Every structure is written in structure tokens, then in C-alpha cells.
Amino acid sequence: MEQTNDASATASTPATPPKKGNNTLIIIVIALLILAVVGFMIKSAANKASSMIGNKIGEKVAEEAINNVTGGKADVDINGGNVSVKTKEGSFSTGNKLPDNWPKDAPVYTGATVTYSGSSSPQTGESGFGAVLTTTDASTKVVDFYKKGLVSQGWTIASTQTANDTTVLGATKDTRSLAVSIVEASGT
């Protein structure tokens, strides 16, 4: 008669208890990961808060400087890349997008990137606008766009001057005037 000892052999082998050192190591690694994530979140929040505080300090310094020079009261707002100044004499703003009140009949080159824009609205005169746009297109293409675009918007091209890599178009409409300078910048 044959006996098998498989069942008894399995039952008699004691289970290895987990090592306490491995559990501690896993807990330490998890805790370090949590601390790293929390630290990153705190650093991001601190950077944002620092930027906001810096903007507020810049606003107050600019307001005081304007107030001291003009004797009036200025309200300066710095928001990212945009700055606006309001006084009783008028307002001025700059940024990297066209102002909301950009004249609808002033053409903007299709596909160009606004690198700077500004507007002023003085109480004593006409509003003014300015912008710097960049494109990789050839300057001749940009000049043609503005010549056609200005005329199609009812502007009269009063002058065209070209020297070296620069073309300046002067245009008039009603009582307003507009100048467009197109500069070919090589190597950029």
C-alpha cells in the first residue's frame, strides 16, 4: 500500500512572516512621494502668489510716481503682460493683444503675431492706437496686403515711402490718419 505525503508536507511547512523592514521601507517611499508632490504644489502656489504680490507692488509704485508728477490720482492695473493706466486726463493701455476698441477699419495682417499694442484715450484729444505685429511673410506681401486692405476699408493712401528694407504707408480717412511701417528684418 502506497501512501502520499503531499498533503501533510504542505500543511507542515510554516508560512514565512512578512519582514517588518520591508513594510517600513514602502511606507517611507510613499511618504517621500507624497511630500514631493505636496512640495511641488506649494512651490507652484508660492510662485503665483509672488508674481501677484510683485504686480501689486509695481502697481502701487507706478500709481505713486504718476500721482507725484501729475498731482492727480492714477489707477494702474498690471495683469500678466498687460498694463493699463487711468487718470482724470484719460487712459493708456499696453499689452500683447490688440485693444478691444481697435478700429474695425484698420486692417490687421492675417496670421501676424501681436508683440506689442497700446492705446490711449485722453480727455483732451482723439484716441490713439499702436501695434507691433510680426510675421515670417515677405515684406512685399505685407505691403500689398495693407495697400489693398486700407483702400477696401475706405482709407486713401496719401503716401508711400520706401528706403532700404522699410516701407511706410500713410493713409487718411475722414479726420483720421494712419501710418503703417513695414520693416524687413533679416535673420529672424
Side-chain angles (χ1 to χ4, degrees):
M1 180 157 106
E2 236 176 276
Q3 262 187 341
T4 61
N5 292 329
D6 291 340
S8 61
T10 303
S12 65
T13 306
T16 308
K19 294 183 180 176
K20 189 172 185 168
N22 286 342
N23 287 342
T24 304
L25 180 62
I26 291 171
I27 291 171
I28 290 172
V29 169
I30 291 172
L32 288 174
L33 287 173
I34 290 171
L35 285 174
V37 169
V38 169
F40 178 76
M41 290 173 20
I42 290 171
K43 181 181 176 191
S44 295
N47 285 343
K48 186 172 183 174
S50 174
S51 176
M52 289 172 52
I53 291 169
N55 284 350
K56 291 297 176 192
I57 291 171
E59 288 174 5
K60 293 300 177 195
V61 168
E63 287 171 354
E64 285 299 316
I66 294 168
N67 293 346
N68 289 337
V69 170
T70 65
K73 180 161 174 42
D75 179 26
V76 177
D77 183 32
I78 301 172
N79 185 2
N82 302 309
V83 178
S84 67
V85 179
K86 294 178 184 170
T87 67
K88 67 180 179 181
E89 287 83 23
S91 63
F92 174 78
S93 64
T94 65
N96 55 5
K97 68 179 188 77
L98 292 176
D100 294 336
N101 58 345
W102 183 263
K104 302 291 184 224
D105 60 350
V108 176
Y109 189 72
T110 307
T113 301
V114 178
T115 55
Y116 166 84
S117 72
S119 67
S120 64
S121 183
Q123 298 294 332
T124 57
E126 294 293 318
S127 296
F129 301 91
V132 175
L133 306 157
T134 57
T135 182
T136 57
D137 293 346
S139 62
T140 54
K141 185 176 178 182
V142 178
V143 169
D144 289 341
F145 169 86
Y146 277 102
K147 283 182 175 178
K148 292 174 185 171
L150 288 167
V151 170
S152 74
Q153 291 293 324
W155 292 87
T156 300
I157 296 180
S159 66
T160 302
Q161 299 173 351
T162 302
N164 297 326
D165 295 333
T166 303
T167 300
V168 179
L169 302 173
T172 59
K173 182 177 181 181
D174 306 321
T175 60
R176 298 178 295 152
S177 61
L178 178 136
V180 179
S181 299
I182 297 111
V183 179
E184 180 88 28
S186 56
T188 55

